[in-house]
Amino acid sequence: MDGPLPEKVRHRVIAVAGEAFAGLTMAELPAALRQFARFTPSRRVRFGGSAMAAALENDTGFRLRVAARLRADQPELATALENDVVPAAADPVDVAMAAYVLRPPGWTKLVSAAGEEAHRLQAERAGEERERELVRLREELAQVRTAARRDTDRMRAELEAARKEGESAHRRLRSAQSDVRRGEAALRKLRAEFDVARAEAATARAAADSEARRLRARLGEAETALEAGRKAAREGRSIEDMRLRLLLDTVLEAAQGLRRELALPPVQLRPAETVEAVVPGGMTPGDVAQRALAEDDPALLDQLLALPQAHVVVDGYNVTKSGYPTMPLEKQRTRLLGGLAVLAAQSGAEMTCVFDGAELAAPVLLTPPRGVRVLFSKPGRTADDLIRQLVRAEPPGRPVMVVSADREVADGVARFGARPIAPALLLRRLART
């Protein structure tokens, strides 16, 4: 062709090529068009129009596949063109499109003739459109002229009314100016009276401020005297209280020092127990040997807890990881502390549970249950060190039990008089609560 396809013919050719995609496989499509195979026909024409036009022009195989689809869809038009016959009632754009795709002999003349016919029809339609537009514009011009005449008459009437309103407003303005001059005279008189009143008020306020300063000075003197009296009374009472408290602390500390110095054990023997007699239900040494308890019998822990002033120190994580290691640490702590609280309420013994806090990134938000003391070791220290400090802090002779499976901890606390207990014994006892 000597020139490009007419625009309408080109759009019709691209639309036919886009519809032909439905009957082609990916292998039959040119490589440049495969990316548009899954698009809808409208999107395929919008985004791949230029690529399809180039493929029709340069790829003969693709054009022949599109021509085959066109023969199937419009057999009469295709047969007529291939027989060098142009249907009289056919759309020139469709004729040009079919001639471009099918390429019958003399197809370039058909495309050019169809393009010229399309341009002629377009020009005729444009002329008819211009005529219709001209008629519409003339009608609008007549309407505008009519509206302009009406607006002119209305504006003349409004202008006359505005002129009369301006004259009336001018008269009212002159009257208002007279009123303003009278108001300014009255304002000047009121300002003079206000200045006199303000001067009198300033004099009265100065006198009131002076009296207020005098009264505040007297009030300050009275408050100073009152505070001095209160301080003297407090100092006198505090000295007497301090002397009495010092005397009482001296007596208490002396008694406690004497108690530690003598290491007096709790009184368990009563005078009536020194008299030899047969006690009903009494047990012989053989009976006691037969009733000796195993190391893992929960009844042994009950006997130890029954001792007066018993103190149980529990290595928390050592016990929880022996009893329920699969649970999260938070739930391990909660379960152990709940059991210890019940045990403390049943036995009345002092309970202290120690957890290793060396690896904690932040303080643990934990509310200890009633009857159980919960401690975490400081950074850089372990729970074993804290347990040893607790045992050393107890007075010699007090029954202290340490629950831990750590042999080093058990041997260490035993040297200070504490009794080591296996975690299994405590877990079996807690299972009964």
Side-chain angles (χ1 to χ4, degrees):
M1 294 182 61
D2 297 334
L5 282 173
E7 189 63 23
K8 288 191 175 183
V9 177
R10 180 178 180 274
H11 284 303
R12 190 68 57 85
V13 169
I14 292 174
V16 171
E19 294 173 356
F21 270 57
L24 300 178
T25 63
M26 293 295 287
E28 293 174 339
L29 289 173
L33 301 182
R34 290 174 184 173
Q35 57 180 327
F36 307 110
R38 292 186 177 87
F39 285 20
T40 60
S42 59
R43 294 184 70 244
R44 191 179 299 135
V45 171
R46 187 189 313 166
F47 297 105
S50 299
M52 286 191 288
L56 286 171
E57 181 66 26
N58 300 321
D59 192 330
T60 304
F62 176 65
R63 183 180 58 78
L64 292 176
R65 295 185 187 98
V66 175
R69 176 62 182 270
L70 179 60
R71 288 189 187 95
D73 293 342
Q74 302 184 34
E76 295 179 359
L77 178 60
T79 303
L81 291 179
E82 289 176 347
N83 294 328
D84 198 13
V85 176
V86 178
D91 187 351
V93 175
D94 288 339
V95 173
M97 175 273 297
Y100 180 79
V101 174
L102 298 174
R103 304 287 174 93
W107 65 273
T108 55
K109 293 180 180 180
L110 293 175
V111 173
S112 300
E116 292 175 359
E117 181 64 17
H119 282 302
R120 185 183 63 79
L121 293 176
Q122 184 176 4
E124 289 179 357
R125 285 193 293 269
E128 294 174 356
E129 184 67 24
R130 284 194 296 271
E131 288 294 334
R132 288 193 295 270
E133 183 69 15
L134 181 59
V135 172
R136 186 183 62 80
L137 291 176
R138 285 175 179 173
E139 293 175 353
E140 289 182 359
L141 179 60
Q143 294 175 359
V144 169
R145 285 177 178 175
T146 302
R149 283 194 297 270
R150 287 197 300 268
D151 291 343
T152 302
D153 296 339
R154 180 178 54 79
M155 292 179 65
R156 285 175 180 173
E158 291 178 355
L159 180 60
E160 183 64 22
R163 185 182 62 79
K164 294 179 180 179
E165 183 66 22
E167 292 176 354
S168 176
H170 187 64
R171 288 192 297 271
R172 290 196 298 270
L173 177 60
R174 287 196 297 269
S175 176
Q177 288 176 348
S178 301
D179 294 340
V180 168
R181 285 193 292 270
R182 287 193 296 270
E184 288 177 350
L187 180 59
R188 286 193 295 271
K189 181 179 178 181
L190 290 175
R191 282 179 177 174
E193 294 176 355
F194 175 72
D195 291 339
V196 173
R198 185 169 58 182
E200 293 176 354
T203 302
R205 185 175 61 184
D209 290 343
S210 176
E211 181 66 16
R213 285 193 296 272
R214 186 179 65 80
L215 292 177
R216 281 197 294 271
R218 292 184 60 185
L219 179 61
E221 293 174 358
E223 289 177 349
T224 302
L226 179 61
E227 183 62 26
R230 290 176 177 175
K231 183 177 180 181
R234 285 197 302 270
E235 289 178 353
R237 185 170 66 250
S238 300
I239 292 174
E240 293 299 327
D241 293 345
M242 180 268 293
R243 294 178 63 186
L244 290 175
R245 180 60 184 271
L246 180 60
L247 179 60
L248 180 60
D249 291 344
T250 302
V251 173
L252 291 176
E253 291 180 3
Q256 292 176 358
L258 181 62
R259 189 182 206 175
R260 289 193 299 268
E261 185 69 24
L262 297 178
L264 296 176
V267 177
Q268 297 180 355
L269 187 65
R270 296 294 184 266
E273 296 177 357
T274 61
V275 178
E276 296 183 0
V278 177
V279 180
M283 297 172 56
T284 64
D287 297 332
V288 174
Q290 292 176 0
R291 294 195 58 186
L293 300 175
E295 286 294 327
D296 57 353
D297 190 347
L300 176 61
L301 183 59
D302 290 333
Q303 291 184 0
L304 295 175
L305 293 175
L307 296 175
Q309 298 297 322
H311 184 189
V312 180
V313 181
V314 181
D315 189 349
Y317 289 142
N318 190 282
V319 174
T320 60
K321 292 179 180 179
S322 299
Y324 18 89
T326 59
M327 299 175 62
L329 290 182
E330 180 181 358
K331 293 186 178 180
Q332 290 182 17
R333 291 194 297 265
T334 303
R335 181 171 177 178
L336 176 62
L337 294 178
L340 293 178
V342 176
L343 188 60
Q346 293 175 350
S347 64
E350 181 180 358
M351 295 284 175
T352 301
C353 189
V354 179
F355 294 103
D356 196 346
E359 299 181 357
L360 293 177
V364 176
L365 300 178
L366 177 67
T367 302
R370 185 171 182 175
V372 181
R373 182 186 298 108
V374 180
L375 301 176
F376 286 86
S377 61
K378 293 182 178 180
R381 307 294 297 275
T382 63
D384 298 345
D385 298 333
L386 184 56
I387 291 173
R388 296 187 187 95
Q389 291 180 359
L390 290 171
V391 173
R392 288 197 297 268
E394 294 294 341
R398 183 183 183 185
V400 180
M401 285 75 76
V402 177
V403 182
S404 177
D406 192 331
R407 177 52 55 188
E408 184 179 355
V409 174
D411 295 342
V413 299
R415 287 195 295 271
F416 292 100
R419 178 187 176 94
I421 296 176
L425 178 59
L426 176 61
L427 292 172
R428 287 192 178 90
R429 179 59 182 83
L430 293 180
R432 292 168 44 190
T433 57

